[in-house]
Amino acid sequence: MNTNPTYKVFIIEDDGCMTESIEALLSKAGYVINYASTGLDGARVELLCPGEKPEAVDSALESAERDIRHCRKNKDRILTYKDIELNLDSREVTVRGEMLELTSIEYGILELMLKSPSKVFSKMNIFEAVWGETYFSEDNTINVHMSNLRSKLKRANSEQNYIQTVWGQGYRLAA
């Protein structure tokens, strides 16, 4: 007769990488793993067994929680919009998985817009955020950089419209 209880763990998580990490840690400790994806953001690890948790579960859960925090931290360092990915650490931008060569100004404009995807940015907002200087006059600088950025995005994927002009107000990401 087996006197060791079977501890079952049910994992609900949408990130396959995270689920595999948690499952691997707990499986090593001898636990039966079930998992599901909910479509909701966030992870939940729950023990489905009566009685005391053995120390191995505590240790495995602490390790899994560290992995979750690490994955979330790294995940937050990549901004996405449609098929654009902007990596804040490497400062690389890809469209449809292909590297996009941007100037530092174009990168700054795209990063600004991806960080606030529903905001309409005036020329003054863009200039002061990207250049870090006070915007004094209406000139063609923003228009030229925005045109160059749009052209590069269009070359990378001609089927998508990424940046929309809001006449009299500025620019925003296209719906």
Side-chain angles (χ1 to χ4, degrees):
M1 176 176 201
N2 185 359
T3 60
N4 291 338
T6 300
Y7 291 93
K8 295 181 181 180
V9 178
F10 184 63
I11 301 169
I12 302 171
E13 173 54 50
D14 289 336
D15 186 331
C17 166
M18 223 180 287
T19 300
E20 289 171 9
S21 176
I22 295 168
E23 183 178 9
L25 286 166
L26 295 176
S27 293
K28 283 181 192 175
Y31 298 93
V32 177
I33 309 297
N34 291 308
Y35 55 91
S37 175
T38 64
L40 301 173
D41 194 19
R44 187 170 126 206
V45 178
E46 184 178 319
L47 287 172
L48 299 176
C49 60
E52 297 290 317
K53 289 189 292 183
E55 287 181 24
V57 173
D58 289 334
S59 174
L61 288 176
E62 286 174 17
S63 182
E65 287 171 357
R66 277 193 306 276
D67 285 353
I68 290 168
R69 284 192 301 272
H70 177 73
C71 285
R72 287 230 168 89
K73 180 181 173 192
N74 289 341
K75 188 177 183 180
D76 291 342
R77 302 294 299 163
I78 296 178
L79 302 175
T80 59
Y81 173 72
K82 295 185 179 182
D83 56 4
I84 299 172
E85 284 192 2
L86 184 144
N87 186 313
L88 294 167
D89 293 324
S90 66
R91 296 184 56 87
E92 293 177 340
V93 176
T94 60
V95 176
R96 298 168 90 175
E98 297 294 322
M99 191 70 65
L100 191 64
E101 295 294 326
L102 298 178
T103 67
S104 61
I105 297 296
E106 293 161 354
Y107 175 90
I109 292 169
L110 187 59
E111 177 184 348
L112 177 68
M113 296 182 85
L114 292 179
K115 283 183 175 178
S116 299
S118 60
K119 182 177 178 175
V120 175
F121 292 93
S122 69
K123 290 180 180 182
M124 184 176 75
N125 295 144
I126 294 168
F127 190 87
E128 291 182 353
V130 175
W131 277 264
E133 298 174 11
T134 303
Y135 182 74
F136 286 112
S137 66
E138 179 69 31
D139 67 8
N140 216 22
T141 303
I142 301 294
N143 294 344
V144 170
H145 287 287
M146 196 60 73
S147 176
N148 292 339
L149 177 57
R150 282 177 160 162
S151 295
K152 289 178 181 183
L153 291 168
K154 187 58 98 175
R155 277 194 304 271
N157 184 356
S158 61
E159 298 169 10
Q160 281 289 351
N161 184 23
Y162 298 101
I163 299 172
Q164 175 184 6
T165 299
V166 181
W167 296 108
Q169 296 179 37
Y171 302 94
R172 71 171 168 213
L173 294 176

PDB file of all heavy atoms in Angstrom, residues 18 66 83 112-113 116 155 157 163:
ATOM      1  N   MET A  18       6.261  29.775 -19.767  1.00  0.00           N
ATOM      2  CA  MET A  18       6.112  29.805 -18.327  1.00  0.00           C
ATOM      3  C   MET A  18       5.508  28.500 -17.815  1.00  0.00           C
ATOM      4  O   MET A  18       5.939  27.952 -16.802  1.00  0.00           O
ATOM      5  CB  MET A  18       5.236  30.986 -17.928  1.00  0.00           C
ATOM      6  CG  MET A  18       5.770  31.714 -16.732  1.00  0.00           C
ATOM      7  SD  MET A  18       4.757  33.104 -16.268  1.00  0.00           S
ATOM      8  CE  MET A  18       5.111  34.273 -17.543  1.00  0.00           C
ATOM      9  N   ARG A  66       9.850  32.848  -9.080  1.00  0.00           N
ATOM     10  CA  ARG A  66      11.002  33.618  -9.574  1.00  0.00           C
ATOM     11  C   ARG A  66      11.016  33.599 -11.100  1.00  0.00           C
ATOM     12  O   ARG A  66      11.245  34.620 -11.747  1.00  0.00           O
ATOM     13  CB  ARG A  66      12.313  33.051  -9.033  1.00  0.00           C
ATOM     14  CG  ARG A  66      12.675  33.525  -7.659  1.00  0.00           C
ATOM     15  CD  ARG A  66      14.111  33.183  -7.293  1.00  0.00           C
ATOM     16  NE  ARG A  66      14.438  31.778  -7.439  1.00  0.00           N
ATOM     17  CZ  ARG A  66      14.206  30.844  -6.521  1.00  0.00           C
ATOM     18  NH1 ARG A  66      13.657  31.177  -5.377  1.00  0.00           N
ATOM     19  NH2 ARG A  66      14.539  29.582  -6.733  1.00  0.00           N
ATOM     20  N   ASP A  83       2.200  43.502 -36.308  1.00  0.00           N
ATOM     21  CA  ASP A  83       3.321  42.574 -36.492  1.00  0.00           C
ATOM     22  C   ASP A  83       4.678  43.235 -36.214  1.00  0.00           C
ATOM     23  O   ASP A  83       5.716  42.746 -36.630  1.00  0.00           O
ATOM     24  CB  ASP A  83       3.293  41.938 -37.881  1.00  0.00           C
ATOM     25  CG  ASP A  83       3.286  42.972 -38.998  1.00  0.00           C
ATOM     26  OD1 ASP A  83       3.374  44.181 -38.713  1.00  0.00           O
ATOM     27  OD2 ASP A  83       3.174  42.569 -40.165  1.00  0.00           O
ATOM     28  N   LEU A 112       7.885  55.707 -28.559  1.00  0.00           N
ATOM     29  CA  LEU A 112       6.922  56.600 -27.909  1.00  0.00           C
ATOM     30  C   LEU A 112       5.490  56.177 -28.235  1.00  0.00           C
ATOM     31  O   LEU A 112       4.640  56.055 -27.345  1.00  0.00           O
ATOM     32  CB  LEU A 112       7.172  58.045 -28.360  1.00  0.00           C
ATOM     33  CG  LEU A 112       6.215  59.107 -27.834  1.00  0.00           C
ATOM     34  CD1 LEU A 112       6.401  59.299 -26.327  1.00  0.00           C
ATOM     35  CD2 LEU A 112       6.441  60.420 -28.579  1.00  0.00           C
ATOM     36  N   MET A 113       5.232  55.934 -29.501  1.00  0.00           N
ATOM     37  CA  MET A 113       3.879  55.578 -29.925  1.00  0.00           C
ATOM     38  C   MET A 113       3.465  54.200 -29.410  1.00  0.00           C
ATOM     39  O   MET A 113       2.316  54.006 -29.005  1.00  0.00           O
ATOM     40  CB  MET A 113       3.775  55.660 -31.445  1.00  0.00           C
ATOM     41  CG  MET A 113       3.971  57.078 -31.960  1.00  0.00           C
ATOM     42  SD  MET A 113       3.805  57.224 -33.736  1.00  0.00           S
ATOM     43  CE  MET A 113       2.023  57.407 -33.829  1.00  0.00           C
ATOM     44  N   SER A 116       2.244  54.125 -25.756  1.00  0.00           N
ATOM     45  CA  SER A 116       0.891  54.662 -25.531  1.00  0.00           C
ATOM     46  C   SER A 116       0.092  54.506 -26.814  1.00  0.00           C
ATOM     47  O   SER A 116      -0.149  55.478 -27.543  1.00  0.00           O
ATOM     48  CB  SER A 116       0.958  56.132 -25.123  1.00  0.00           C
ATOM     49  OG  SER A 116       1.667  56.283 -23.931  1.00  0.00           O
ATOM     50  N   ARG A 155       7.506  49.374 -46.476  1.00  0.00           N
ATOM     51  CA  ARG A 155       8.372  48.440 -47.209  1.00  0.00           C
ATOM     52  C   ARG A 155       8.431  47.082 -46.514  1.00  0.00           C
ATOM     53  O   ARG A 155       8.503  46.049 -47.161  1.00  0.00           O
ATOM     54  CB  ARG A 155       9.784  49.008 -47.366  1.00  0.00           C
ATOM     55  CG  ARG A 155       9.919  49.975 -48.534  1.00  0.00           C
ATOM     56  CD  ARG A 155      11.374  50.253 -48.893  1.00  0.00           C
ATOM     57  NE  ARG A 155      12.184  50.746 -47.789  1.00  0.00           N
ATOM     58  CZ  ARG A 155      12.339  52.022 -47.464  1.00  0.00           C
ATOM     59  NH1 ARG A 155      11.730  52.952 -48.173  1.00  0.00           N
ATOM     60  NH2 ARG A 155      13.098  52.377 -46.456  1.00  0.00           N
ATOM     61  N   ASN A 157       6.040  45.746 -44.638  1.00  0.00           N
ATOM     62  CA  ASN A 157       4.745  45.075 -44.811  1.00  0.00           C
ATOM     63  C   ASN A 157       3.784  46.044 -45.476  1.00  0.00           C
ATOM     64  O   ASN A 157       3.158  46.875 -44.825  1.00  0.00           O
ATOM     65  CB  ASN A 157       4.186  44.603 -43.472  1.00  0.00           C
ATOM     66  CG  ASN A 157       2.896  43.820 -43.627  1.00  0.00           C
ATOM     67  OD1 ASN A 157       2.363  43.686 -44.720  1.00  0.00           O
ATOM     68  ND2 ASN A 157       2.380  43.315 -42.522  1.00  0.00           N
ATOM     69  N   ILE A 163       0.660  53.927 -38.958  1.00  0.00           N
ATOM     70  CA  ILE A 163       0.577  55.260 -38.360  1.00  0.00           C
ATOM     71  C   ILE A 163      -0.459  56.078 -39.106  1.00  0.00           C
ATOM     72  O   ILE A 163      -0.454  56.141 -40.330  1.00  0.00           O
ATOM     73  CB  ILE A 163       1.952  55.965 -38.405  1.00  0.00           C
ATOM     74  CG1 ILE A 163       2.970  55.152 -37.598  1.00  0.00           C
ATOM     75  CG2 ILE A 163       1.841  57.395 -37.870  1.00  0.00           C
ATOM     76  CD1 ILE A 163       4.397  55.643 -37.730  1.00  0.00           C
TER      77      ILE A 163
END
